[in-house]
Amino acid sequence: MLTLDPAVTSVGGMVYSAVPGGTDTYEVYSGTSMATPNMSGTYANLLSFLRSYCVQNGIAPDKIGHAELARDLIFSSAVLLDNGSFLYSPRKQGSGLASAAAAIENYTKGAYLTNPLEELGHDPEKTGVYKMSLELKNDTAETLTYGDFETHVLTDFLMTDEDSVILNTLNPDVLDGDQVNVTYEVSGSPVTELSLVPHSSVTVDVTVTLSAAQKAYFDEYFTNGAYVEGYVVFRQHSSDLMTHAT
């Protein structure tokens, strides 16, 4: 089955970095050698917070549980990056730009997804129907309400050059309007809003269905198959908090 790589993005460009040669020597570097320690620090900061939070609130520490929780918080609260018009593909940014601050805020003031990275694999029968069940969890002492559901469905953008050759630009193209239909259900009933009482969770079944015209377009121009990918976003009422699945 296809797996998503990268899973998440971290700051790695134009980083002011310590270098050998003295006690006060620095240079500017870019690359995964910068992004990896940045991501490690983000994850470590979040783990440190979760340990302190448990001590302050009388919760028994759980190293394995905290590691899994930190992963879910980072993936579901990462900042989604765009090119000025459309969100970047998950193949370019994973679940977004990791932020310890956003993860902590979602945990203490909002909800998060326990399965924020959904890899649906291949659709060999070309049904054009993609289903996922997303668990939204509220670990706070407040009742939280979410609405304004958004699903950003993306594929690759094609262009025709001056010689009439069709090229895959590997840039995002948004599927919306009559190209795709998205439904949200809880226990088989359609929903447009969710309320989570304190220390509870709810599972939302999301179904993305391509139109017959869009499937025909893929058959004509993507004879070896096409990527259908994107993000499902839940926004909290009365705040700027959001959580998303990739």
Side-chain angles (χ1 to χ4, degrees):
M1 187 181 82
L2 292 174
T3 57
L4 183 62
D5 190 12
V8 71
T9 300
S10 188
V11 174
M14 303 298 289
V15 177
Y16 194 55
S17 310
V19 296
T23 58
D24 189 26
T25 52
Y26 298 88
E27 291 184 18
V28 175
Y29 287 110
S30 298
T32 52
S33 293
M34 303 297 104
T36 299
N38 197 311
M39 184 66 246
S40 298
T42 299
Y43 192 75
N45 282 339
L46 185 53
L47 285 174
S48 177
F49 163 78
L50 291 173
R51 182 171 60 250
S52 297
Y53 185 85
C54 284
V55 171
Q56 293 170 6
N57 290 274
I59 303 171
D62 177 1
K63 288 186 177 180
I64 295 177
H66 285 172
E68 294 173 346
L69 175 58
R71 175 201 60 202
D72 294 342
L73 288 170
I74 286 175
F75 288 172
S76 64
S77 64
V79 179
L80 296 177
L81 305 175
D82 61 53
N83 62 8
S85 298
F86 305 133
L87 293 174
Y88 284 115
S89 160
R91 284 171 286 145
K92 288 189 175 182
Q93 67 168 322
S95 52
L97 180 64
S99 167
I104 291 170
E105 190 170 26
N106 265 313
Y107 183 62
T108 58
K109 298 179 181 179
Y112 62 94
L113 289 165
T114 62
N115 54 332
L117 205 59
E118 284 290 286
E119 297 170 323
L120 303 182
H122 187 37
D123 179 18
E125 302 301 323
K126 297 184 178 181
T127 64
V129 179
Y130 312 98
K131 298 182 177 182
M132 63 203 88
S133 295
L134 305 175
E135 184 186 36
L136 195 63
K137 190 172 184 181
N138 174 15
D139 281 344
T140 77
E142 305 293 332
T143 296
L144 306 175
T145 303
Y146 282 78
D148 301 324
F149 306 154
E150 300 174 10
T151 295
H152 302 266
V153 185
L154 308 173
T155 189
D156 287 331
F157 178 71
L158 298 182
M159 65 170 289
T160 304
D161 70 8
E162 57 187 13
D163 296 320
S164 299
V165 176
I166 297 174
L167 304 174
N168 187 341
T169 66
L170 299 180
N171 287 317
D173 193 12
V174 174
L175 302 181
D176 55 17
D178 58 3
Q179 298 169 307
V180 65
N181 181 62
V182 183
T183 61
Y184 309 88
E185 296 183 343
V186 173
S187 301
S189 299
V191 293
T192 58
E193 186 176 274
L194 299 170
S195 288
L196 288 85
V197 299
H199 307 291
S200 70
S201 63
V202 62
T203 298
V204 184
D205 297 315
V206 182
T207 303
V208 176
T209 305
L210 301 181
S211 67
Q214 186 60 41
K215 290 195 291 181
Y217 173 84
F218 280 155
D219 288 339
E220 180 177 0
Y221 293 104
F222 292 86
T223 55
N224 293 318
Y227 285 99
V228 178
E229 57 196 0
Y231 308 93
V232 181
V233 180
F234 301 94
R235 297 188 183 278
Q236 186 179 332
H237 286 338
S238 69
S239 83
D240 294 328
L241 291 181
M242 54 151 297
T243 186
H244 70 269
T246 302

